[in-house]
Amino acid sequence: MTTRTHVPAGAPIWMDLSTSDQDASRAFYTRLLGWQAEEPDPEFGGYLNFTLGGERVAGCLPGTPGAPTDVWTVYLATDDADKTCSLATGHGGTVITAPMDVRDLGRMAIVADPGGAPIGLWQPGAHRGLQTLAEPGHAGWFEMQTRSYDATLEFMREVFGWQTASVADSEEFRYSTGTLGGEEICGVMSAGATRPEGSTGVPEDAPAQWSVYLTVEDADRALTQAIELGASVVHQPEDTPYGRLAALKDPTGALVKLVA
């Protein structure tokens, strides 16, 4: 378990789900993980926060026309969202959502890496983001799938100050980790690589996007419960050096991974 009082710039600080059916998403995650849901905020398009034990653990917002829906977005901490946007555009990225204040909660923006994967930016104010990681019901890992693998790694180094290390580099599987201050914070996977059917690799036609891993006590039991709640299986549970992993699509089709 990791409890954070400060999230360094460049590290994941928040995650939210854009959904085509907020009621269905709300019901699924509260039942599966024991999350509670705050009331949607009409000032911000019906955005709501999920909480666990009084701590905010994720956001959820209704999808909007023309924007990716039924996908998770991961936000990286920044001390200056405007400066980070300028760095992003200077290193082959694009700005999807320009920096804007969210009341006194913080300042946010969304950029895209050279392969088109959205990356949220959060400059915290009163909303400090994710404070607990790798505890049941909390985020356990974050992983970017990109179609411009080498360019994305360089982008993350230059824009967010990551150090990167290759874990695997073959036609079947390309994967690196990003670290800050010696701590692994994220993974980067080539969305163009393929692995044998039934593995936890990325299908060839997978979009450039984030995957979030939610920590559970028992991946098999959680996957069974998820199916009962309307999810579909993407990958059956398998043992790995990082824990027992499974992948599913929630009732609206959003990809989510489980780690025990």
Side-chain angles (χ1 to χ4, degrees):
M1 181 181 71
T2 300
T3 301
R4 309 182 296 181
T5 56
H6 171 72
V7 181
I13 190 172
W14 189 242
M15 60 185 186
D16 60 28
L17 172 66
S18 173
T19 175
S20 56
D21 188 335
Q22 192 177 47
D23 289 339
S25 296
R26 181 174 182 168
F28 177 76
Y29 290 99
T30 55
R31 293 171 184 170
L32 179 66
L33 298 166
W35 290 354
Q36 296 81 45
E38 297 177 354
E39 288 304 309
D41 189 335
E43 183 179 345
F44 296 109
Y47 195 100
L48 66 82
N49 289 289
F50 289 114
T51 65
L52 184 64
E55 181 181 326
R56 287 173 170 167
V57 293
C60 182
L61 68 156
T64 56
T69 303
D70 300 321
V71 294
W72 286 90
T73 297
V74 173
Y75 293 75
L76 304 182
T78 176
D79 296 326
D80 186 330
D82 299 77
K83 181 179 178 180
T84 303
C85 283
S86 295
L87 282 171
T89 57
H91 288 87
T94 56
V95 175
I96 298 173
T97 302
M100 65 180 197
D101 291 324
V102 185
R103 289 200 294 258
D104 66 339
L105 301 176
R107 188 165 174 80
M108 65 85 62
I110 299 176
V111 299
D113 80 334
I119 303 168
L121 307 178
W122 185 248
Q123 181 181 333
H127 193 313
R128 307 303 296 176
L130 302 173
Q131 299 299 298
T132 301
L133 300 176
E135 180 78 3
H138 295 264
W141 186 243
F142 310 90
E143 189 173 86
M144 182 194 291
Q145 300 167 189
T146 177
R147 294 205 168 279
S148 299
Y149 181 77
D150 293 320
T152 291
L153 293 178
E154 180 66 17
F155 179 82
M156 302 308 286
R157 288 190 289 263
E158 294 294 335
V159 177
F160 295 102
W162 288 12
Q163 298 80 47
T164 59
S166 176
V167 175
D169 195 358
S170 68
E171 291 183 4
E172 292 77 22
F173 188 46
R174 302 189 75 194
Y175 197 99
S176 290
T177 55
T179 65
L180 284 171
E183 179 183 352
E184 292 186 340
I185 56 168
C186 281
V188 178
M189 182 187 293
S190 172
T194 58
R195 294 180 68 191
E197 184 178 353
S199 75
T200 55
V202 181
E204 189 173 3
D205 60 350
Q209 63 181 27
W210 285 95
S211 293
V212 298
Y213 288 75
L214 302 178
T215 309
V216 294
E217 293 183 355
D218 185 320
D220 299 75
R221 186 171 66 235
L223 184 60
T224 297
Q225 183 181 3
I227 294 167
E228 293 171 352
L229 293 171
S232 58
V233 177
V234 175
H235 297 298
Q236 293 287 347
E238 65 174 338
D239 291 320
T240 77
Y242 311 103
R244 190 158 175 82
L245 307 180
L248 59 89
K249 287 189 175 180
D250 73 14
T252 70
L255 177 67
V256 65
K257 299 181 180 181
L258 306 176
V259 56

